[in-house]
Amino acid sequence: MKPNEISVPKEKLVFASSEGRLHDKELVTKPISYFRDAWNRFKKNKASIAAAIVIAILGLYAIIAPIVSPYSVSYKDPYYVFTAPKIFGGTRNKSGNEATFLADYAISVETKRDVIVNNKYKSYVTEDAYKKKVKMYDYKIDTYYNVGVVYMNLTVDQYKDIQAYQDANDVQIIYPWTDMNKNKVQYGEIPPQVVTDGNIWYQLKMSNGKPVADVTYDSEGKPIYTDIYAPYSDKDGYTSKMRIEGEGNYQYSYATPVQNGNAYKVRIDYYNYYRYIHADERIDKPFFLFGTTNSGQDIFTCLASGARFSFILAITVASVNMFVGALYGAIEGYYGGKIDIIMERIVEILNAVPFMIVITLLKYHMEGTSHVLILFIAFFLTGWIGMAGRTRMQFYRFKNQEYVLAARTLGAKDARIMFKHIFPNSLGTLITSSVLVIPSMIFSETSLSYLGIINLNSGSLTSVGTLLANGQPYLVTYPHIILFPSIYICLLMLSFNLFGNGLRDAFNPSLRGAED
Amino acid sequence: MYMFKYILKRLGLMIMTFLIIFLISFVLIKLLPIVVNVTIGQDKEIIEATLRARGYYDPIPVQLVNYIKRIFHGDFGVGVNLPEYRNKPVWDVFVEKLPPTVLINVYSTLFSVPLGIALGIFAALKKNRWQDHLISTGVMIFISVPSIVTAFLVQYIFCFKLNWFPLMMNSGFDYFSGSMFRSMMPAVIAMSFGSICGYARFTRAELTEVLTSDFMLLARTKGLTRGQATLHHALKNAMVPIFPSIVGEFVSVLSGSLIIEKIFSIPGVGGLYLDSINYQDYDFFMMLSCFYILIGLAASIVIDLSYGFIDPRIRMGAK
C-alpha cells in the first residue's frame, strides 16, 4: 500500500446530501467588541505596556509609601538635615583641610562608628588663596554618623530614662562632659567651637585664628586625640553602668546640672539618642531612603505624599472635565448652527484667558480658602475646553451618517441619538485625550507650586513643586534633594505620554504616528 | 480680496475677545480690596492719599473709563506694592524688563529652528533606520521631560560641573556684551530643548508624508537625483505647515517662560509678573495680563493667517 493512499471502507461511504439540506456552519468565534479590539492592538505596543507598568509602580509608590514609611510629611529632624540618600549608601564625598578632617575623625574615634567611610582618606598638599601651603584631605563621609554628639538640655526624668535605656540595651547615649577649661589652661582661651559644638571633645590649638586640632599620629597614620573630659563629680546624677573609663580607672563626669538642678545639660550621641527616642515607633535607626531636605524632612515620604496629591488631582479633574467637556461638546456638535456659534465663542474667550490669571484672581478672591480647593476650581473652570472641542469635532463627523438618520427616522429622541448612537463612537478619542491631558495637568500643578503661586505645603501635605523649589538653592551642594522629585516627574510625564500615544494608536489605528 | 476680508474678520473677532476678557479681568481685579504694604520709612496714609487722588477708590465704572482714557496717553498706572517700583510708571518698568525676555526667546528660536528642522529632515530621510529610531526616542524623552527638570540639568551640568556658564544671568543693561550673552546661554539652552524636539517631530512627520507622495515619484522618474528631488520638491512642500508653527511658536514664547526666568533669575517680564502676583500690585498685574492675553491671541491669528500666505490654495475659513 502506498503511503498517500487512503482506504475507506465501503459501508462508510455515504452521500452527504442524502438527508435534509446543507447548512453553513455556525460561527464559533466570539464577536470582538470595540474595546477588545483596542486592547488587542494595545497589547502589541511594548513601549505603552512598559509605560503602563511604570505608571502603576508610581501609583503604588504614591499610595503605599506614606503608609509604609515610619516618617510623616510634618516630621522634621533638627540634626538630620541634608542627609544623603540611603539608596546610594548614605555617604557623601568631602574635601577639607586638616582641622575639618580631624574634627570628622574625632567623631568616629569617640562614637566608634565609621564617620569616615572605611577609614580611608587621601591627603595632599595644595596652595590656598593666599598662596600658602595647606594640607587637604579627600574622604567619604557617612552622613548618618557625622552628626556625632550634640549638646542637649534634659529634664531629670528624661535623663533618668535615658540612663535606664542605656543599661537595658547596652548602648552609650550620654558621653562624658567636657571641661572647657582644659583648653583654657593650655592655650589661654576657650575656643568658641568648644562651647557650641558637642563634637569637640579633644584639645584644640588656635593658630592664625584657625582651629587646628592638637593631635599626634600613630605609626599607622591614625590621629591620637587627647580628651578634655571633665573629672568625676557626684553632682552629675549619672548612675548608669555605661561608663567610659579613663586611664587607671579614672572616672569622668557626665552632665552639668542647670536650672538649679531641675535639668541637666548633657552631651548626647545623636545616632543612639535617635534610636532611643523613636524606640516605640517603627523606626529602628535613622534610615532615609531618598535622603532628607534642608529642613530635615524625609524625601521618600514627602515625594510620595506630593505624588499622591498629583494623582488624585489629575484623575479627579480629568474625569470631571471629561464629563463636562463631553456634554458641552455634544450639545455644540449635535445642534450646530446658532447654538454652536454662541457656545464656541464662550469657549474661545475662556480659552484665551491665561491660566495664570484665572488662578491669581481665584486666589485673591477666595482669600483664606485652602489652596487645594482653589487649584481644583481653577482646573475645573478651564480644563474641559479641550475635551469639548474634541467631542464637537467627533459629533460633526458622525451626526450626518446614515445610521444616525436611521435612528432619527425610527423616532429616537435627541438625547438617545447623542449618547446612545454617536457618543460611543467618540469614546476612544475622549479617553485618549483625557489620559494625554493628565501629564500636562500634573506639570502645571508642579509649576504653580514651584513658582509659589499656589502653596500646598501645609501640615501633612506637600507637593512635588514645593520640594523642587525648596531644593533649588542647594542644587550644587546637595543635588539629591532635587534628584528624586525630578526623576519622579520625568518618569511620570514620559510614561503618561507613551501610554496615551499607545491608547490613541489602539483606539484609532488610522491616526498612528500622527501628531496631536 | 477674500484674504483681506478674512483677516479683517479674524482681527475683529480677536479685538472683541480681548475686550471681553479685559473687561472681566478689570472688574474682577477692581473688586479686590486695595492692598498697601509699606516698608519702614514709608507712610501708608500718603500712599493711600496718592491712590485716592488717582481715583482708585472711585466706583468701578468710573475707574474703567479713567483707565481706558489713561491708556491712550500711555499711562497704565503706577506701582504700589512692589518695593523696587513704588510710584514708578508701570509702562516704563515693563519696557525696561522686556529686552531680556525677548532676547532670550530670539536666541532660543535662532538656536532651535535650524537644529530642530535639520534633525527632523535627517530622521525623515533615514526613516525606520537606527538614526531615525535614535532621534525619535530622544525627541520623545525630551518632549516629556518638563522644563523645570531640563533647566536644573542644564544648570547642574553646564554651569556647575563643566563650568561653562555662570549659574545666574548677569545684572545690568548691556544686553549685547559678550559676558551677558554667555550668562544668557543656560536659559537659552534650557528653553531650546523642548522647541528643538517639537520642530524635529513636526518636520519628520510632515516630510515623511511628502516623501511618499506621487509627485516625488514623478520627480525621480523624470531624472532628478534623490537630493535634488528632496531639496526642491519635498522640503518646499513640507515647509508649508512647518513655517506657521515657527511663527506661532515665536510669538507665543515672546511672553517667556515663567519657570525658566525664575530658575535662571532673569530680570524679565515673567519675573515681574510673578512679583506683581505675590505683592498684589494690581496695576502691574492688569497690564501684564493684557500683554499675555494679546500675545496668545496674536499667536493663534498669525498661525492661522500664515497658512494662507504661504500656500494660497488653503483658503482659511472657507466652507
Side-chain angles (χ1 to χ4, degrees), chain A residues 345 349 352 354 356-357 360-361 364-365 443 447 450 453 472 475-476 479 482 489-490 493-494 497 515, chain B residues 13 20-21 28 32 140 144 146-147 149 152 155-156 160 201 205 258-259 262-263 273-274 277 280 289 293:
Chain A
R345 214 96 288 280
I349 289 168
M356 202 60 93
I357 297 177
T360 311
L361 286 176
Y364 287 125
H365 271 286
F443 177 58
S447 337
Y450 170 77
I453 290 178
Q472 201 207 340
L475 174 73
V476 167
I482 274 190
I489 194 123
C490 285
M493 304 279 275
L494 186 60
N497 278 338
E515 254 55 50
Chain B
L13 279 178
I20 291 172
I21 301 173
L28 282 176
L32 289 168
M140 188 68 214
S144 302
S147 55
V149 179
F152 285 149
Q155 208 170 33
Y156 190 75
F160 171 62
R201 187 159 86 159
L258 296 176
I259 289 176
K262 182 170 174 188
I263 291 181
Y273 195 46
L274 279 181
I277 292 173
Q280 302 193 31
S289 295
I293 298 166

Side-chain angles (χ1 to χ4, degrees), chain B residues 8 17 34 39 44 73 84 144 147 169 175 188 194 200 293 305:
Chain B
L8 272 188
T17 314
I34 295 175
T39 43
K44 192 171 180 178
H73 296 107
E84 281 174 79
S144 302
S147 55
M169 186 175 156
Y175 294 118
V188 172
I293 298 166
L305 294 184

Side-chain angles (χ1 to χ4, degrees), chain A residues 162-465:
Chain A
I162 292 179
Q163 290 184 39
Y165 177 84
Q166 281 198 135
D167 290 342
N169 295 289
D170 214 26
V171 290
Q172 186 94 40
I173 296 178
I174 302 166
Y175 275 80
W177 189 251
T178 53
D179 184 2
M180 296 167 193
N181 288 328
K182 282 200 178 168
N183 271 313
K184 195 177 179 182
V185 170
Q186 197 163 357
Y187 305 111
E189 59 179 313
I190 299 174
Q193 296 94 330
V194 185
V195 185
T196 52
D197 188 351
N199 282 316
I200 307 281
W201 59 278
Y202 50 92
Q203 286 192 331
L204 277 180
K205 183 166 74 181
M206 306 291 284
S207 68
N208 310 335
K210 287 177 190 168
V212 174
D214 181 23
V215 291
T216 49
Y217 292 85
D218 67 7
S219 54
E220 287 165 22
K222 278 186 189 164
I224 302 168
Y225 296 84
T226 318
D227 68 62
I228 52 166
Y229 290 152
Y232 179 74
S233 134
D234 54 0
K235 286 196 192 102
D236 70 352
Y238 191 74
T239 53
S240 166
K241 67 178 164 62
M242 299 298 296
R243 281 188 174 274
I244 291 168
E245 299 292 333
E247 277 171 39
N249 281 348
Y250 182 77
Q251 292 217 319
Y252 298 123
S253 172
Y254 277 81
T256 308
V258 287
Q259 297 168 14
N260 301 326
N262 291 325
Y264 287 95
K265 196 173 180 193
V266 188
R267 285 180 74 233
I268 292 267
D269 173 22
Y270 195 71
Y271 185 83
N272 281 339
Y273 177 76
Y274 190 93
R275 300 182 67 174
Y276 152 75
I277 204 93
H278 296 290
D280 48 351
E281 296 161 42
R282 284 174 295 163
I283 304 168
D284 173 46
K285 57 183 179 188
F287 188 88
F288 306 105
L289 198 62
F290 291 172
T292 59
T293 62
N294 53 325
S295 52
Q297 286 171 300
D298 179 35
I299 295 177
F300 181 75
T301 315
C302 288
L303 180 58
S305 152
R308 189 161 58 172
F309 177 73
S310 299
F311 269 110
I312 293 174
L313 176 87
I315 291 169
T316 320
V317 174
S319 36
V320 170
N321 283 345
M322 188 172 147
F323 182 74
V324 175
L327 196 68
Y328 194 95
I331 295 172
E332 263 185 311
Y334 184 75
Y335 291 108
K338 259 186 195 145
I339 295 177
D340 183 33
I341 289 175
I342 293 166
M343 288 173 91
E344 206 36 29
R345 214 96 288 280
I346 295 172
V347 162
E348 225 166 79
I349 289 168
L350 270 178
N351 206 20
V353 183
F355 191 63
M356 202 60 93
I357 297 177
V358 177
I359 200 117
T360 311
L361 286 176
L362 269 178
K363 181 180 154 185
Y364 287 125
H365 271 286
M366 297 173 68
E367 197 100 64
T369 324
S370 137
H371 279 186
V372 175
L373 187 68
I374 291 172
L375 202 57
F376 269 97
I377 295 176
F379 276 123
F380 286 146
L381 273 180
T382 53
W384 53 270
I385 293 172
M387 200 62 72
R390 284 201 182 79
T391 320
R392 176 171 169 264
M393 289 290 282
Q394 295 291 323
F395 266 75
Y396 265 110
R397 230 173 96 192
F398 290 114
K399 73 172 178 187
N400 287 327
Q401 300 232 331
E402 285 78 0
Y403 71 90
V404 177
L405 296 178
R408 187 171 296 145
T409 321
L410 287 171
K413 294 249 167 56
D414 280 352
R416 188 178 166 83
I417 296 175
M418 275 158 83
F419 294 106
K420 192 83 188 170
H421 294 281
I422 305 181
F423 190 69
N425 283 303
S426 49
L427 203 56
T429 323
L430 291 185
I431 291 175
T432 310
S433 51
S434 52
V435 167
L436 280 171
V437 139
I438 287 177
S440 63
M441 217 141 54
I442 292 180
F443 177 58
S444 47
E445 181 253 317
T446 309
S447 337
L448 284 173
S449 52
Y450 170 77
L451 294 171
I453 290 178
I454 283 290
N455 177 22
L456 299 170
N457 207 16
S458 61
S460 58
L461 191 71
T462 188
S463 81
V464 182

Side-chain angles (χ1 to χ4, degrees), chain A residues 90-104:
Chain A
T91 59
R92 181 177 296 132
N93 289 328
K94 195 169 173 180
S95 170
N97 60 14
E98 196 164 19
T100 319
F101 171 72
L102 286 172
D104 285 335

